[in-house]
Amino acid sequence: MPGFALTTVTALTCTHQGQVTLTPGQQQVFADGAPVVTTADLNVVAPSCALSSSQPPSPCVKVDFAPAAAARVLVQGRPLVVQPAGPGTGLCLSAAQVPQGPPVVSAIQQRVVAT
């Protein structure tokens, strides 16, 4: 499914408003002036995530972007992360790897589309 390429300037939060920071492992491929994000890149949810779907509460700590991997576009051998129209793709996870829901995308570049 086609979608916009995620970059380091994409504004993402977990479903509990924790800010997601994307740190790419490469600095050669850019979309709209910012490095693109692959499924292998580091992404961290800020400690501001205070809610959880489990007991006791365990906040989101990272986002698994495997469900958002481009099928045909690779960056240094790793799938590009894309955002199709609609809710965020990927899955926010707690430190115990408990799924917490999809990330929320509030701003994304809209010039580069991949599948």
Side-chain angles (χ1 to χ4, degrees):
M1 173 181 330
F4 297 112
L6 262 67
T7 67
T8 55
V9 297
T10 301
L12 290 169
T13 60
C14 72
T15 55
H16 315 110
Q17 301 306 307
Q19 184 68 40
V20 178
T21 302
L22 302 169
T23 306
Q26 58 82 34
Q27 294 291 318
Q28 290 86 24
V29 180
F30 290 74
D32 204 19
V36 297
V37 177
T38 70
T39 56
D41 290 338
L42 178 64
N43 61 80
V44 179
V45 178
S48 59
C49 174
L51 301 175
S52 171
S53 60
S54 63
Q55 292 296 330
S58 57
C60 301
V61 295
K62 72 177 208 168
V63 180
D64 177 11
F65 283 118
R72 299 175 11 194
V73 179
L74 303 177
V75 176
Q76 296 182 338
R78 298 180 177 116
L80 177 71
V81 176
V82 297
Q83 171 60 47
T89 36
L91 191 59
C92 296
L93 301 170
S94 70
Q97 303 301 301
V98 175
Q100 309 281 15
V104 178
V105 179
S106 57
I108 191 169
Q109 65 80 29
Q110 296 185 354
R111 296 181 79 183
V112 178
V113 177
T115 58

